[in-house]
Amino acid sequence: MIQRIQSVYLLLASVISGVLIFVFNLWTSISKDIFAIDLLNRESYLLKSIPVLFLVSAILAFVAIFLYKNRKLQFVIGRLAILVNLILLGLLIYVSLTLPGEVSISEKGIGMFIPIIAILLIVLANKAIKKDEDLVKSVDRLR
């Protein structure tokens, strides 16, 4: 049952959260582009938590793919991944607004939109999971 559409959505969300953070920059500094992996070297725990949250989101979406036998747990894991991405989005917005030297860092990267895309894909997956659960319930009523 891995070939369901929600598995495709969850796989895409996992790849976007886990792989594209190394490809697209979060913002551009005067000297270089800042990627999520670069934030692990910073002193602030707030900045160190950004790549960790990206990876937690990717792991949750990937684990949810293989929970197809337990759709309720798969749905809950999807909601948890949405919550992690919302926290990550809020954290990215907060960091981008409070960075020192904001005048010189005026160009935000496409990496800031990765949590939005991941949320959209996980919502679509949860919608498909709900549809499967409703279908199984309707068949159980007929028995």
Side-chain angles (χ1 to χ4, degrees):
M1 291 299 286
I2 295 180
Q3 69 271 15
R4 300 179 305 164
I5 189 68
Q6 56 264 34
S7 298
V8 174
Y9 290 144
L10 290 170
L11 182 66
L12 283 173
S14 178
V15 167
I16 284 173
S17 292
V19 175
L20 290 184
I21 60 170
F22 302 110
V23 176
F24 296 118
N25 62 341
L26 295 175
W27 59 81
T28 302
S29 176
I30 294 173
S31 58
K32 63 176 185 165
D33 292 340
I34 304 294
F35 294 92
I37 198 70
D38 297 333
L39 298 177
L40 286 174
N41 299 334
R42 301 292 174 103
E43 307 83 36
S44 171
Y45 288 113
L46 192 67
L47 292 176
K48 286 182 181 183
S49 66
I50 291 174
V52 171
L53 285 174
F54 271 120
L55 294 178
V56 166
S57 170
I59 290 169
L60 283 174
F62 191 72
V63 166
I65 295 171
F66 299 104
L67 295 174
Y68 57 87
K69 291 183 180 179
N70 191 350
R71 285 177 298 278
K72 290 181 183 178
L73 181 61
Q74 190 179 30
F75 189 77
V76 170
I77 296 291
R79 285 199 172 182
L80 187 61
I82 291 171
L83 183 65
V84 167
N85 278 309
L86 285 173
I87 292 170
L88 181 61
L89 183 63
L91 188 62
L92 283 172
I93 290 171
Y94 173 75
V95 167
S96 70
L97 292 176
T98 60
L99 280 174
E102 178 60 33
V103 176
S104 62
I105 308 173
S106 60
E107 186 177 332
K108 307 296 182 262
I110 196 162
M112 300 285 266
F113 297 108
I114 289 176
I116 296 172
I117 298 168
I119 288 171
L120 177 69
L121 288 170
I122 296 170
V123 165
L124 289 172
N126 276 354
K127 192 174 181 181
I129 293 167
K130 180 80 170 125
K131 188 186 288 186
D132 278 357
E133 186 66 27
D134 291 343
L135 180 67
V136 169
K137 283 182 182 177
S138 70
V139 170
D140 285 343
R141 276 182 271 175
L142 292 175
R143 285 189 216 174

